[in-house]
C-alpha cells in the first residue's frame, strides 16, 4: 500500500507510484465531441467514468491518492471512497512526473486541444461579462459617432450662416447642404441603435447584477463591470478603487506629477453627484462607491437583490447634503 | 536573390536590407499570414519577417540576447500569448515536433490563437488564467522553456508557480517585464531590480536586456531554472 499520483494530459491519464512506476493507465473514449466534454468537465472537478475506473483499478495498490486540484479531490473522495489529498504547495513530484510522462508524443491530442479551446471560447463569449463588455463598446461607439456627426453638422451650418436671422444658402452650396441636411437621418439611426443597445444591456444586467444595476443605474453599472473586466473582479475591489475606476489616466498623472488625485471616475455621471454642488460631491461619491462595492458583492456572493436598503441610504445622504433633511 | 543567414540560433535567420538586419523564421504555414508579416522566399524555403516593434522576443535578439534558448523540438509554455504574434514565431522555431502551449485569459485575442492553431499543429491554445496553473495542469505537459509576457503586477510569482509545475530543471525562462505594469510610480530600474531578485529564488539569471529602443521601459529577463 502506497501513495499514488494522478497525472494526465488531455485524454491520457496515469496513476503513478512513489517510484515513478505507472500502476494504472487510461485513455478517454468516445467521439472528439465527447472527449472535449470530458476534458472540460474534469477541469470543473467532475471526473469522467474513465478516471473513476482508473482509480478503482489502482485501488489495491494505492492507499492515498494525490491530485493537484481541490475540487477534483473532493469529488473523487466522495465517488471512490479513496483517500484523496492535495499538496499544500506545488509538489515537485508532479513536475518530475509530467516531464517523464508528458514531454513528447502530445501532438496526437492537438485536435482535442483545439476543440476544447473552441468550446471554451464559445462559453466565454456568451458569458454576461463578455456581453456587457461588447455592449459597452457599442454604446461608446454610438455616443462618439453621434457627437461626431452632430458636431460636423452644426459646424457646417454655423460657418455658412453667420447671419442667423436670415439664413440663405448660396446657390453654389446647395448640393453640399442637401448632403449635410441628410445627416439627420444618420443621427436618427444612431440614436435608435443606441437605445436598443441600452435595452440589451438592461436585460443582461437585471438578470446578472440586479443590485448593482438598481444602485448605480444602467450605464454606470455596465461601465464599471467593463472597466473592471468582470463583475467578479469588481466585487473584489475596494470602495476607494471603485470611486476612481475609469479615471486611470488622471490617477497616474497625479501619482507622477503631484497634481490632485481624481475624486471620481465612471461614477461621476450619477444623478446624485451631478445634482450636488462641487464641495459636496466627494462626500456623496464616497458613500456611492461604498454602496456599489456592497452591491457588486451581493450580486456575486449571495445572489440577492439588496438594492432597496442601499438606495435608501444613498437617498438619505443625498437629501442631507442638499440641505433638505 | 535574397541572401538569408542564420543567427547564433540555427532556427532564427536574418537578411540585410541595406544595413538593417531583418529577422526571419522559417514559415511553418506559408498559406497563412498571422499578423500581416512579409514573406520572403530564399533557398527554396519560405521565411516570415519578424517585427521587433511587434514582438519583444525579436527585439531582445536585436538588442543582444546572446542566443535565444529555444531549439527545434522544444516544448514551450507561453503565458500571455495574446493574438499569437510572438507565439507564431516560436512555433516556427520549435518546428513540427515541438509544442507551444499558449495560455491566454482574454477571450477576444484567444479567438486569434484558435485560428493560429488551426494552421499549426504545434500550437495548443488554452483559455485560462495564468495565476491558477491548476486549471490547466491536465493540459500542459513538462516543458523546456517558459515564456512570460503578462503585463501583470504579480508576474514573477506567476512565473515561479508555473515553473514549479511544468518547467524542467535547467530549462529556460524568458520573461518580458514592462516596468509600469508592476509599479508605475517607481523608477523602472528599481522595478527591474526587485523583479530580478524575486526571480532569483528559482532561477539563475543569465542576462537582462533593455528593450527601450523598440518597447519603452521594458526588459527581457533570461534565466535558467534551478529549483
Ligand atoms: C503584452 S500582451 C502579450 C503580447 C504577446 N506576448 C506577443 O508578444 O505577441 C499580455 C497578454 O497577457 C494576457 N494576460 C494578462 N494577465 C493574464 C493572466 N493572468 N492569465 C492569462 N493571460 C493574461 C493579456 O490578456 C494580454 O493578452
Amino acid at each position: 500500500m502506497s501513495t499514488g499520483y494522478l497525472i494526465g494530459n488531455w485524454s491520457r491519464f496515469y496513476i503513478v507510484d512513489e517510484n515513478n512506476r505507472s500502476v494504472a493507465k487510461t485513455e478517454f473514449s468516445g467521439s472528439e465531441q465527447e472527449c472535449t466534454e470530458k476534458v472540460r468537465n474534469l477541469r470543473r472537478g467532475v471526473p469522467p467514468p474513465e478516471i473513476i475506473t482508473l482509480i478503482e483499478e489502482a485501488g489495491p495498490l494505492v492507499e492515498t491518492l494525490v491530485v493537484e486540484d481541490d475540487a477534483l479531490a473532493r469529488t473523487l473522495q466522495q465517488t471512490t471512497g479513496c483517500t484523496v489529498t492535495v499538496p499544500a504547495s506545488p509538489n515537485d513530484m508532479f513536475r518530475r512526473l509530467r516531464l517523464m510522462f508528458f514531454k513528447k508524443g502530445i501532438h496526437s491530442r492537438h485536435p482535442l486541444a483545439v476543440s476544447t479551446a473552441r468550446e471554451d471560447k464559445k462559453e466565454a463569449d456568451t458569458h454576461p461579462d463578455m456581453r456587457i463588455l461588447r455592449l459597452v463598446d457599442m454604446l461608446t461607439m454610438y455616443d462618439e459617432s453621434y457627437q461626431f456627426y452632430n458636431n460636423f453638422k452644426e459646424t457646417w451650418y454655423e460657418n455658412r450662416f453667420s447671419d442667423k436671422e436670415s439664413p440663405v444658402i448660396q446657390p453654389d452650396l446647395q448640393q453640399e447642404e442637401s448632403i449635410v441636411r441628410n445627416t439627420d437621418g444618420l443621427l436618427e439611426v444612431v440614436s435608435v441603435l443606441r437605445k436598443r443597445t441600452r435595452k440589451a444591456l438592461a436585460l443582461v444586467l437585471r438578470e446578472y447584477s440586479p443590485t448593482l444595476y438598481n444602485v448605480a443605474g444602467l450605464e454606470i453599472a455596465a461601465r464599471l463591470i467593463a472597466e473592471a473586466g468582470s463583475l467578479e473582479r469588481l466585487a473584489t475591489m475596494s470602495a476607494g478603487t471603485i470611486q476612481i475606476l475609469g479615471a486611470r489616466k488622471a490617477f497616474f498623472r497625479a501619482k507622477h506629477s503631484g497634481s490632485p488625485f481624481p475624486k471620481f471616475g465612471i461614477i461621476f455621471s450619477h444623478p446624485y453627484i451631478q445634482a450636488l454642488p462641487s464641495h459636496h460631491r466627494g462626500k456623496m461619491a464616497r458613500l456611492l462607491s461604498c454602496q456599489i462595492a456592497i452591491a457588486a458583492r451581493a450580486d456575486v456572493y449571495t445572489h440577492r437583490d439588496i438594492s432597496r436598503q442601499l438606495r435608501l441610504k444613498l437617498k438619505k445622504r443625498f437629501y442631507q447634503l442638499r440641505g433638505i433633511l | 536573390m535574397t541572401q538569408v543567414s542564420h543567427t547564433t540560433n540555427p532556427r532564427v535567420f536574418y537578411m540585410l536590407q541595406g544595413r538593417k538586419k531583418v529577422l526571419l523564421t522559417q514559415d511553418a504555414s506559408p498559406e497563412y499570414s498571422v499578423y500581416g508579416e512579409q514573406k520572403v522566399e530564399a533557398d527554396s524555403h519560405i521565411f516570415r519577417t519578424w517585427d521587433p516593434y511587434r514582438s519583444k522576443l525579436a527585439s531582445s535578439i536585436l538588442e543582444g540576447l546572446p542566443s535565444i534558448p529555444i531549439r527545434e523540438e522544444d516544448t514551450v509554455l507561453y503565458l500571455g500569448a495574446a493574438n499569437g504574434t510572438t507565439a507564431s514565431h516560436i512555433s516556427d522555431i520549435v518546428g513540427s515536433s515541438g509544442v507551444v502551449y499558449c495560455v491566454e485569459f482574454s477571450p477576444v485575442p484567444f479567438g486569434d490563437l484558435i485560428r493560429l492553431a488551426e494552421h499549426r499543429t504545434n500550437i495548443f491554445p488554452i483559455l485560462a488564467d495564468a495565476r491558477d496553473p491548476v486549471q490547466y495542469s491536465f493540459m500542459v505537459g513538462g516543458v523546456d522553456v517558459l515564456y512570460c509576457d503578462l503585463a501583470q503586477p504579480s508576474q514573477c510569482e506567476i512565473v515561479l508557480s508555473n515553473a514549479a509545475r511544468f518547467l524542467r530543471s535547467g530549462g529556460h525562462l524568458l520573461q518580458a517585464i514592462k516596468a509600469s505594469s508592476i509599479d508605475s510610480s517607481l523608477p523602472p530600474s528599481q522595478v527591474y531590480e526587485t523583479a530580478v531578485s524575486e526571480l532569483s529564488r528559482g532561477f539563475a539569471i543569465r542576462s537582462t536586456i533593455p528593450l527601450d529602443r523598440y518597447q519603452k521601459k521594458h526588459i527581457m529577463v533570461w534565466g535558467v531554472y534551478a529549483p
Side-chain angles (χ1 to χ4, degrees):
Chain A
M1 289 297 245
S2 67
T3 306
Y5 297 83
L6 175 68
I7 57 162
N9 195 269
W10 299 98
S11 57
R12 185 168 303 162
F13 287 79
Y14 297 89
I15 290 178
V16 182
D17 70 14
E18 283 152 319
N19 304 313
N20 306 334
R21 269 192 313 249
S22 154
V23 295
K25 172 186 167 179
T26 191
E27 179 92 38
F28 290 173
S29 61
S31 64
E32 186 175 290
Q33 198 184 347
E34 283 161 353
C35 288
T36 304
E37 266 328 283
K38 287 176 184 177
V39 168
R40 300 180 73 236
N41 281 331
L42 181 61
R43 197 181 35 193
R44 297 188 193 107
V46 182
E50 286 90 344
I51 299 284
I52 308 289
T53 315
L54 179 75
I55 292 170
E56 279 165 2
E57 225 173 273
L61 298 162
V62 171
E63 198 170 22
T64 314
L65 183 67
V66 189
V67 305
E68 289 172 285
D69 181 349
D70 286 311
L72 183 63
R74 271 191 305 267
T75 45
L76 285 180
Q77 176 125 12
Q78 277 166 15
T79 43
T80 66
C82 190
T83 310
V84 186
T85 64
V86 179
S89 57
N91 184 324
D92 211 42
M93 186 71 181
F94 280 106
R95 186 179 65 90
R96 282 186 287 119
L97 291 177
R98 247 193 281 276
L99 283 154
M100 223 172 333
F101 285 81
F102 301 121
K103 181 83 200 323
K104 296 284 168 211
I106 292 178
H107 290 88
S108 63
R109 263 86 94 200
H110 187 260
L112 183 54
V114 174
S115 101
T116 303
R118 278 200 201 105
E119 289 306 311
D120 286 352
K121 159 107 174 123
K122 246 191 250 169
E123 187 181 304
D125 275 345
T126 52
H127 191 283
D129 286 328
M130 283 308 290
R131 299 196 54 201
I132 291 168
L133 233 72
R134 286 194 304 265
L135 288 163
V136 163
D137 276 350
M138 284 161 66
L139 208 59
T140 307
M141 177 185 68
Y142 292 134
D143 278 347
E144 283 172 2
S145 24
Y146 191 94
Q147 268 172 31
F148 179 80
Y149 293 123
N150 199 38
N151 281 348
F152 171 78
K153 192 187 88 181
E154 284 180 353
T155 314
W156 193 92
Y157 281 106
E158 263 166 35
N159 286 331
R160 300 297 90 67
F161 313 128
S162 28
D163 181 7
K164 291 255 162 43
E165 302 306 310
S166 56
V168 183
I169 300 164
Q170 290 153 265
D172 283 353
L173 297 183
Q174 262 167 7
Q175 195 186 14
E176 225 177 280
E177 194 269 347
S178 86
I179 299 172
V180 175
R181 194 171 352 110
N182 276 306
T183 308
D184 288 342
L186 190 62
L187 289 174
E188 209 166 292
V189 172
V190 171
S191 55
V192 168
L193 293 178
R194 189 177 191 289
K195 261 184 219 141
R196 287 176 56 184
T197 309
R198 281 180 58 97
K199 227 182 239 167
L201 263 177
L203 277 175
V204 179
L205 287 170
R206 223 174 267 145
E207 172 80 14
Y208 182 52
S209 57
T211 315
L212 179 64
Y213 175 54
N214 288 324
V215 167
L218 179 117
E219 281 198 34
I220 295 178
R223 287 188 195 280
L224 286 174
I225 293 173
E227 187 66 29
S230 70
L231 177 62
E232 210 175 305
R233 243 176 281 165
L234 184 67
T236 64
M237 290 180 170
S238 68
T241 307
I242 291 173
Q243 188 172 332
I244 55 162
L245 205 59
R248 206 184 141 80
K249 265 201 203 135
F251 180 78
F252 281 111
R253 206 182 316 120
K255 218 172 159 187
H256 285 298
S257 68
S259 59
F261 274 89
K263 284 203 190 86
F264 339 84
I266 291 163
I267 63 164
F268 184 61
S269 61
H270 193 278
Y272 280 166
I273 292 179
Q274 291 292 311
L276 286 171
S278 57
H279 62 282
H280 279 333
R281 285 178 172 175
K283 292 173 204 144
M284 193 69 227
R286 267 196 300 283
L287 183 69
L288 179 59
S289 46
C290 268
Q291 305 306 88
I292 286 175
I294 298 170
R297 283 168 213 167
D299 288 333
V300 172
Y301 303 114
T302 61
H303 306 288
R304 251 177 348 118
D305 181 358
I306 56 164
S307 57
R308 192 183 289 259
Q309 299 146 258
L310 303 179
R311 283 171 58 146
L312 210 65
K313 228 170 154 181
L314 283 172
K315 196 169 167 183
K316 249 168 109 176
R317 183 74 175 144
F318 175 70
Y319 284 118
Q320 204 178 40
L321 289 172
R322 278 285 299 270
I324 295 171
L325 256 185
Chain B
M1 185 60 197
T2 317
Q3 180 72 38
V4 168
S5 333
H6 58 73
T7 61
T8 48
N9 182 314
R11 302 283 298 165
V12 181
F13 305 83
Y14 71 93
M15 61 181 182
L16 290 171
Q17 266 178 5
R19 298 177 62 187
K20 206 176 82 183
K21 227 180 186 180
V22 178
L23 289 178
L24 305 162
T25 53
Q26 198 176 319
D27 197 345
S29 62
E31 78 293 346
Y32 182 65
S33 168
V34 180
Y35 60 106
E37 71 277 23
Q38 254 185 62
K39 309 244 173 180
V40 176
E41 201 178 337
D43 309 332
S44 66
H45 290 300
I46 309 276
F47 295 88
R48 305 158 61 217
T49 56
W50 192 1
D51 184 350
Y53 290 97
R54 304 279 297 272
S55 169
K56 290 157 212 164
L57 186 52
S59 60
S60 315
I61 298 169
L62 293 176
E63 292 301 272
L65 186 69
S67 168
I68 64 164
I70 307 176
R71 297 162 313 168
E72 191 169 6
E73 299 193 6
D74 269 356
T75 305
V76 180
L77 172 57
Y78 193 134
L79 307 177
N83 308 284
T85 305
T86 301
S88 69
H89 288 284
I90 296 180
S91 152
D92 285 344
I93 294 169
V94 299
S96 57
S97 312
V99 167
V100 191
Y101 297 103
C102 296
V103 174
E104 171 59 53
F105 75 173
S106 171
V108 180
F110 190 72
D112 294 333
L113 279 179
I114 295 177
R115 227 157 299 130
L116 189 63
E118 283 163 355
H119 290 90
R120 289 164 178 262
T121 51
N122 64 6
I123 295 266
F124 282 59
I126 297 169
L127 183 65
D129 189 331
R131 280 172 290 199
D132 185 11
V134 170
Q135 264 188 66
Y136 45 88
S137 56
F138 288 131
M139 300 175 166
V140 175
V143 305
D144 302 294
V145 178
L146 179 57
Y147 188 96
C148 172
D149 184 5
L150 281 175
Q152 277 271 339
S154 57
Q155 52 183 285
C156 294
E157 201 187 312
I158 296 176
V159 159
L160 288 164
S161 81
N162 275 275
R165 289 200 157 79
F166 306 111
L167 185 59
R168 70 170 162 84
S169 307
H172 295 271
L173 166 71
L174 287 169
Q175 184 181 355
I177 301 180
K178 178 183 180 187
S180 65
S181 68
I182 293 187
D183 191 326
S184 63
S185 65
L186 292 174
S189 59
Q190 208 171 322
V191 176
Y192 301 149
E193 207 175 294
T194 315
V196 166
S197 91
E198 197 178 342
L199 290 172
S200 305
R201 283 192 287 148
F203 295 90
I205 305 299
R206 286 285 175 82
S207 60
T208 56
I209 314 283
L211 305 180
D212 298 72
R213 188 194 308 250
Y214 300 99
Q215 284 91 19
K216 264 192 208 150
K217 298 185 182 169
H218 282 70
I219 56 165
M220 181 68 78
V221 178
W222 171 28
V224 174
Y225 195 41

